[in-house]
């Protein structure tokens, strides 16, 4: 039997129109309930339906927390609609809670009048105690602010898969497919792509494929039946308008990987990736291992230091060296980054930021490695740093990192974060011909005025020549000890260190000459308030500024991709505003950089909860700044 409690309909605002512009759905359950898989497949069906979307996978750090506990809850949120979607949504309209712990940890985020779909079969005495409930929330009236649809999904799943002879444990693993079937019905989605995927996934175990398909179909059928009785409705979300072209869903990790391969191809170089597993950066290594046919060599090293050292060795040998990690691993790579800066070799370093310090919040998002990226090495060790704003933006950012590394003979750091790495969104696959190649050039003969070799002679950009080992007549030695300008011979003299330190700084500062002028994303080039962001804060800032401007507020959005060196016009642009607000998921790092570089009175809006900003949080800060 289903428990039904009516309330205001958050999907339609209480109206009969069942075609909302956008909907936010959150699937939540135990780590073993397959919520990430359910969300991923619902995302696929949503993309195939033509909706714009953004996702937010949110899972615990524990490999498998005790079943039914509050800290073992895994969730997946998707915001999809018929118009442009820039964030995973502030508040869910629908919460699918597979057990009491999932309900308790997520119901507070649900929109007033939103729909709770709960598996009543899991709300037994033991699970209620694990979730710290004194009484069953499905029965005590505590959920009266929301619509509640509670029924025994576990029992219905067991009934659906009974003909396939599975054990109880195996049968209950199909619960997520039953839930997915209901969600597919609720939002008018086609089941066939999911059926095809299940057949492919369980090709070696056809019984499991058929059992999961049966559960999927049963959930879908329940939606049809329940609608006849009234408590459940079907909603239709129209496709979003989009430019013609080839589209696919992409996560940040996938887009970074594809962008690195594209960058290496545009540089006409083979690529070597040296990495070490760490959350949430490991997916880059996983994705690159599938792209060997594009001249990609992947190496899983024994530790972080070996990973970056191997990539530096590959760059010395004439390949494009790449390494990646998250904050703790980037700290371990620090000395080797200094080596790459001293030897002036091209190297791309991906930092998928996570909550810290130390082990911190391994599966949560943060932007607190900015100081580390810009300043975090011994000595004066300048390095260009660029930041991706979204999953799809990672593709172009990776190409830009490759371009700068090869053109300026320098390591480059790319900043993403846990939210970007795991989130998915539609991506229009670009035309390869739209990218300008930047082929690497290797020195082929001695370059000194008197016929000698000068490994550290500099071109107009300040870059030294790239010399492949084994090139006839160009034997040379490079290393981490200070060198004589030009010859590269070891030279400890004060004059040499001053000259080389200045040259390395000038080279990185000069990168600003090859990057676009800073544009205003929304609003005017001067006014009362500029909201300045970097990285994954783009989506909530964009939506908040758009809403504020609709209300007539004088506010603009500026989003910085090249965070070091910054665009040459950024300082003057910021001085055109009375106030500057900088939202970031740290304690105010970019705010400090802006104050230091441009002497502007930038004000911080900080968040370090491990969760992305909501649009409402930034809207409130805009209102306060303009009050």
């Amino acid at each position: 039997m289903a428990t039904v409690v009516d309330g205001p309909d958050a999907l339609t605002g209480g109206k009969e129109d069942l075609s909302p512009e956008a909907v936010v759905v959150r699937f939540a359950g135990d780590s073993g309930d397959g919520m990430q898989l359910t969300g991923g497949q619902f995302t696929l069906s949503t993309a195939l339906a033509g909706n714009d979307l953004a996702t937010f996978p949110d899972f615990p750090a524990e490999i498998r927390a005790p079943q039914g506990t509050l800290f073992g809850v895994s969730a997946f949120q998707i915001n999809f609609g018929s118009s442009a979607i820039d964030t995973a949504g502030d508040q869910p309209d629908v919460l699918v809670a597979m057990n009491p712990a999932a309900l308790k940890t997520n119901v507070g985020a649900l929109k007033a009048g939103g729909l709770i779909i709960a598996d009543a079969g899991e709300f037994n005495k033991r699970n209620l105690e694990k979730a710290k409930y004194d009484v069953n929330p499905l029965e005590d009236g505590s959920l009266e602010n929301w619509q509640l649809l509670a029924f025994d999904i576990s029992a219905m799943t067991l009934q659906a898969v009974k003909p396939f002879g599975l054990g109880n444990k195996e049968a209950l693993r199909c619960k997520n497919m039953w839930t997915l079937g209901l969600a597919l019905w609720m939002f008018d989605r086609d089941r066939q792509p999911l059926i095809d995927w299940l057949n492919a996934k369980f090709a070696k175990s056809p019984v499991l494929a058929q059992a999961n398909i049966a559960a999927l179909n049963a959930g879908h059928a329940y939606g049809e039946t329940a609608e006849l009785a009234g408590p459940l409705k079907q909603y239709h979300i129209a496709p979003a308008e989009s430019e013609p072209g080839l589209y696919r869903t992409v996560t940040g990790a996938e887009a970074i990987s594809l962008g690195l391969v594209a960058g290496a191809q545009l540089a006409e170089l083979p690529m070597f990736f040296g990495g070490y597993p760490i959350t949430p950066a490991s997916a880059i290594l996983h994705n690159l291992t599938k792209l060997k046919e594009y001249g990609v060599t992947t190496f899983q090293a024994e530790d972080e230091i070996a990973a970056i050292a191997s990539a530096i060795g590959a760059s010395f040998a004439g390949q494009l060296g790449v390494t990646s990690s998250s904050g703790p691993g980037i700290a371990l790579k620090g000395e080797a980054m200094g080596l790459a800066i001293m030897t002036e070799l091209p190297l791309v370093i991906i930092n998928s930021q996570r909550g810290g310090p130390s082990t911190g919040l391994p599966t949560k998002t943060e932007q607190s490695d900015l100081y580390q990226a810009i300043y975090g090495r011994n000595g004066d060790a300048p390095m260009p740093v660029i930041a991706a704003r979204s999953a799809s933006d990672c593709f172009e950012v990776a190409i830009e990192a490759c371009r700068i590394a090869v053109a300026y003979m320098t390591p480059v750091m790319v900043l993403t974060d846990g939210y970007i790495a795991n989130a998915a969104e539609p991506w229009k696959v670009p035309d390869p011909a739209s990218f300008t190649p930047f082929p690497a050039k290797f020195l082929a003969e001695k370059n000194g005025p008197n016929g000698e070799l000068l490994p550290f002679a500099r071109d107009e950009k300040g870059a030294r020549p790239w010399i492949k080992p084994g090139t006839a007549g160009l034997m040379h030695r490079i290393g981490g000890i200070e060198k004589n300008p030009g010859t590269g011979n070891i030279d400890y003299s004060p004059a040499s260190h001053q000259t080389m330190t200045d040259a390395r700084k000038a080279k990185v500062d000069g990168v600003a000459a090859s990057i676009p002028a800073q544009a205003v994303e929304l609003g005017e080039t001067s006014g009362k308030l500029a909201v300045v962001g970097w990285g994954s804060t783009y989506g909530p800032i964009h939506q908040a500024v758009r809403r504020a401007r609709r209300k007539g507020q004088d506010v603009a959005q500026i989003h910085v991709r090249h965070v070091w060196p910054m665009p040459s016009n950024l300082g003057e642009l910021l001085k055109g505003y009375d106030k500057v607000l900088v939202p970031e998921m740290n304690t105010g790092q970019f705010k400090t950089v802006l104050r230091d570089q441009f002497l502007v009175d930038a004000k911080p809006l900080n968040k370090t909860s491990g969760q992305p900003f909501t649009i409402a949080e930034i809207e409130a800060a805009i209102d306060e700044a303009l009050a």
Side-chain angles (χ1 to χ4, degrees), residues 418-464:
Y419 175 49
I420 290 177
N422 294 319
E425 64 183 32
W427 175 52
K428 183 183 178 185
V429 180
D431 180 0
S434 65
F435 293 94
T436 303
F438 42 86
K441 297 177 181 177
F442 293 94
L443 191 66
E445 56 187 22
K446 293 179 178 178
N447 58 344
N450 300 312
E452 72 273 35
L453 175 62
L454 299 175
F456 283 86
R458 301 186 183 277
D459 63 14
E460 68 283 356
K461 302 187 299 299
R464 78 168 186 89

Side-chain angles (χ1 to χ4, degrees), residues 515-598:
I515 65 178
Q518 182 62 53
V520 177
E521 298 286 336
L522 284 174
E524 311 303 324
T525 55
S526 62
K528 291 184 179 179
L529 176 66
V531 184
V532 182
W534 66 277
S536 65
T537 56
Y538 174 83
I541 292 175
H542 190 74
Q543 291 290 350
V545 171
R546 188 164 70 175
R547 291 180 186 180
R549 289 183 60 79
R550 285 176 181 169
K551 294 188 291 186
Q553 292 175 308
D554 185 359
V555 58
Q557 179 193 12
I558 296 171
H559 211 76
V560 182
R561 170 182 279 183
H562 296 82
V563 295
W564 195 270
M566 289 180 278
S568 54
N569 69 321
L570 182 58
E572 286 304 310
L573 182 61
L574 294 180
K575 289 173 183 176
Y577 299 93
D578 298 341
K579 295 182 178 181
V580 174
L581 177 68
V582 186
E584 48 185 333
M585 292 182 290
N586 55 45
T587 55
Q589 297 182 18
F590 194 50
K591 169 267 301 178
T592 304
V593 174
L594 292 176
R595 286 180 175 180
D596 170 58
Q597 293 297 303
F598 305 125

Side-chain angles (χ1 to χ4, degrees), residues 132-153:
K132 313 298 182 186
Y133 276 119
D134 295 326
V135 293
N136 191 338
L138 305 183
E139 300 170 353
D140 68 352
S142 62
L143 304 177
E144 62 184 7
N145 291 332
W146 302 281
Q147 300 177 86
L148 173 62
L149 183 60
F151 46 90
D152 197 335
I153 295 176

Side-chain angles (χ1 to χ4, degrees), residues 160-493:
V161 303
K162 188 176 181 179
F164 302 97
L166 301 180
N168 201 61
K169 190 174 181 180
E170 274 190 316
L172 285 175
R173 284 178 181 162
C174 300
K175 237 185 356 177
N176 62 333
M177 286 298 110
W178 195 101
T179 307
L180 180 58
L182 178 63
L184 293 179
W185 174 84
M186 189 173 177
F187 295 102
D188 196 17
R189 299 281 182 259
D190 183 10
R191 278 169 288 164
Q192 192 57 48
L194 280 303
I195 291 171
D196 294 341
W197 176 80
L198 286 167
N199 280 322
K201 178 178 176 63
F202 296 110
K204 295 181 180 179
S205 302
V207 172
L208 288 178
Q210 291 305 309
N212 278 279
I213 290 168
L216 183 81
N217 290 334
H220 193 276
Y222 180 87
E224 294 174 331
T225 307
E227 185 188 34
L228 297 177
L232 197 62
K233 304 180 184 74
Q234 188 173 50
Y235 300 86
H236 178 73
I237 313 295
E241 290 186 13
S242 56
E243 297 177 6
L246 175 64
Y247 286 81
R248 59 162 290 182
T249 56
V250 69
T251 65
E254 289 169 340
I256 279 277
S257 303
L258 293 169
L260 289 170
V261 173
Q265 296 281 316
L266 291 167
E268 299 178 5
L269 292 169
M271 188 181 95
F272 176 92
F273 179 91
Y276 180 76
I278 183 171
T279 302
S282 301
I284 297 172
L285 172 60
H286 301 162
N287 283 298
L288 286 173
T289 58
K290 306 170 188 175
L291 301 171
K292 294 178 180 178
E293 67 267 31
Y294 297 104
V296 177
T297 301
T298 54
F299 169 58
Q300 181 175 313
E302 64 269 30
D303 56 45
E304 295 283 8
I305 298 170
I308 187 172
S310 65
I312 293 170
S315 291
F316 175 63
Q319 298 195 11
L320 180 60
V322 181
T323 190
S324 84
S325 191
S326 299
I330 295 295
L332 292 169
K333 294 180 190 288
E335 183 183 3
M337 281 189 268
L339 175 62
I341 290 166
M342 284 290 278
T343 56
E344 300 188 46
L345 286 167
L347 178 70
V348 177
I349 305 157
I350 312 296
N351 181 355
S352 302
Q353 301 167 95
R354 69 190 207 184
S358 186
T359 307
L361 307 174
T363 61
K364 308 301 179 183
T365 195
E366 211 162 87
Q367 291 181 297
S368 46
D369 293 352
L370 186 68
Y371 285 162
Q372 183 187 44
I374 297 175
Y375 306 120
R377 292 164 292 280
N378 67 294
D380 281 289
M383 179 192 300
V385 181
I386 55 181
R389 65 172 60 176
S390 66
S392 58
D393 188 51
C394 287
F395 180 79
E396 292 191 12
V397 164
I399 291 175
E400 174 70 349
C402 295
R403 181 192 71 82
I404 293 172
V406 169
Y408 290 85
M409 293 293 287
T410 179
V412 178
M413 187 175 291
V414 173
L415 294 176
T416 72
D417 58 44
Y419 175 49
I420 290 177
N422 294 319
E425 64 183 32
W427 175 52
K428 183 183 178 185
V429 180
D431 180 0
S434 65
F435 293 94
T436 303
F438 42 86
K441 297 177 181 177
F442 293 94
L443 191 66
E445 56 187 22
K446 293 179 178 178
N447 58 344
N450 300 312
E452 72 273 35
L453 175 62
L454 299 175
F456 283 86
R458 301 186 183 277
D459 63 14
E460 68 283 356
K461 302 187 299 299
R464 78 168 186 89
W466 198 356
I467 307 170
K468 278 188 181 181
T471 305
L474 301 186
M475 184 182 295
H476 66 292
R477 179 180 61 189
I478 59 175
I481 299 178
E482 191 58 282
K483 304 162 190 65
N484 179 269
T487 67
N489 296 330
I490 292 173
D491 190 340
Y492 295 141
S493 69

Side-chain angles (χ1 to χ4, degrees), residues 593-608:
V593 174
L594 292 176
R595 286 180 175 180
D596 170 58
Q597 293 297 303
F598 305 125
L599 301 180
V600 295
D601 187 20
K603 301 293 186 184
L605 174 62
N606 304 131
K607 182 174 184 177
T608 55

